[in-house]
Amino acid sequence: MQFDDDADLDTSEVQDVRGSRIPGGKATVGGGIAGLVALILGLLFGVGPDQLGLSSGGSGTTATASSAAQVQQSCRTGQDANTREDCRIVAVVNSVQDYWGQEFRRRGGTYTDASTVLFTDRIATACGTATSAVGPFYCPGDRKVYLDLGFFDELRTEFGSSGGPFAQAYVVAHEYGHHVQDLMGTLSRSQDSRTGANSNAVKVELQADCYAGVWAHHATTTPDESTGRPLITSLTRADIRDGLDAAAAVGDDRIQERFQGRVTPESWTHGSAVQRQQWFTTGFRSGDMADCNTFR
Ligand SMILES: [Zn+2]
């Protein structure tokens, strides 16, 4: 995945609060009512820290002026996105939202931008206080995507994914898929709190994977708002493989096999590795969100 070196990045779409500490209190996302809602609606993994044996680790960091808002200081151009991980996230967020903005307009609708919040350790959200251990998620209460970059290390070390640059892009695009669902009114379908291979929760997750694929289809042709040229200039087969690899790594069957030693489809919330790859591929091949009807 390569970005146009000369494109300006729009850092206003990413809030960088890494290194700041929020006042204590118990983490509620991943446990409790708010956590349940967030778990079902937004979490990429749908598994809490205890089940995974992950911890958010360490004692955390303290806020300092110099560590705040690195993204705003350092991520100016596509060239920065080609060299720094956090700037790459900014560029992917820009590309994903440019695409959906244009697609909604084409359909006579209005896309509302959603910010991505980069945090470390824990964060207070409208869906409750979350720790990094819950993985990236979308919170419908404040319409923001929450991401701790340390998660991508876990994708490699704990989940056995290649975790390449496009694996990260897939994760971001999946979360924005939930935002698209939120705007279209389909996200609430997962609120019946049932689980299982045929549950609405799984269908909502697979649709978000499909939407990630739809964006990927258009990623190298969507004009960037600053230059009029695509922000992403190249996406290779190897990149797409990285995305598919990540999609499989976070399949419910893979996660269950890895962390509980057996597969229990009745407790699935996100779909199997094969399903997740299939729906990403469906969206990627056609580039048409109308083909993402996982509810059919
Ligand atoms: Zn999801």
Side-chain angles (χ1 to χ4, degrees), residues 94-180:
N94 288 171
S95 170
V96 168
Q97 301 214 89
D98 277 353
Y99 169 69
W100 287 114
Q102 290 163 30
E103 178 61 15
F104 271 59
R105 254 194 316 280
R106 202 178 66 78
R107 294 169 168 266
T110 307
Y111 176 83
T112 318
D113 274 351
S115 305
T116 285
V117 181
L118 296 182
F119 72 100
T120 39
D121 296 336
R122 57 166 56 208
I123 182 85
T125 81
C127 298
T129 303
T131 69
S132 302
V134 299
F137 64 100
Y138 173 75
C139 172
D142 51 25
R143 292 195 155 163
K144 288 178 185 172
V145 171
Y146 290 92
L147 182 62
D148 182 330
L149 293 178
F151 166 75
F152 295 120
D153 299 326
E154 275 160 21
L155 203 53
R156 282 182 289 266
T157 57
E158 306 280 337
F159 295 89
S161 156
S162 63
F166 196 75
Q168 301 180 346
Y170 152 74
V171 169
V172 171
H174 171 99
E175 297 309 333
Y176 276 93
H178 287 312
H179 177 55
V180 168

Side-chain angles (χ1 to χ4, degrees), residues 27-240:
T28 52
V29 171
I33 297 300
L36 187 65
V37 172
L39 196 68
I40 288 161
L41 287 184
L43 296 182
L44 179 73
F45 277 16
V47 281
D50 10 346
Q51 198 181 333
L52 280 175
L54 299 177
S55 83
S56 56
S59 56
T61 43
T62 42
T64 61
S66 61
S67 73
Q70 283 177 51
V71 151
Q72 271 66 28
Q73 287 164 26
S74 309
C75 305
R76 302 192 185 276
T77 65
Q79 191 172 19
D80 299 325
N82 283 326
T83 49
R84 283 177 61 124
E85 183 181 50
D86 51 0
C87 302
R88 184 161 65 220
I89 300 297
V90 174
V92 169
V93 168
N94 288 171
S95 170
V96 168
Q97 301 214 89
D98 277 353
Y99 169 69
W100 287 114
Q102 290 163 30
E103 178 61 15
F104 271 59
R105 254 194 316 280
R106 202 178 66 78
R107 294 169 168 266
T110 307
Y111 176 83
T112 318
D113 274 351
S115 305
T116 285
V117 181
L118 296 182
F119 72 100
T120 39
D121 296 336
R122 57 166 56 208
I123 182 85
T125 81
C127 298
T129 303
T131 69
S132 302
V134 299
F137 64 100
Y138 173 75
C139 172
D142 51 25
R143 292 195 155 163
K144 288 178 185 172
V145 171
Y146 290 92
L147 182 62
D148 182 330
L149 293 178
F151 166 75
F152 295 120
D153 299 326
E154 275 160 21
L155 203 53
R156 282 182 289 266
T157 57
E158 306 280 337
F159 295 89
S161 156
S162 63
F166 196 75
Q168 301 180 346
Y170 152 74
V171 169
V172 171
H174 171 99
E175 297 309 333
Y176 276 93
H178 287 312
H179 177 55
V180 168
Q181 291 172 322
D182 194 10
L183 295 175
M184 311 243 326
T186 42
L187 188 60
S188 57
R189 290 202 197 183
S190 65
Q191 264 172 332
D192 62 13
S193 78
R194 284 173 43 247
T195 62
N198 293 312
S199 64
N200 282 336
V202 166
K203 288 169 185 170
V204 162
E205 292 302 328
L206 294 176
Q207 187 175 56
D209 285 334
C210 187
Y211 286 166
V214 168
W215 161 73
H217 177 98
H218 296 279
T220 56
T221 53
T222 297
D224 174 62
E225 277 165 10
S226 79
T227 59
R229 297 189 307 271
L231 174 58
I232 295 179
T233 52
S234 110
L235 212 53
T236 63
R237 275 168 189 273
D239 288 324
I240 298 301

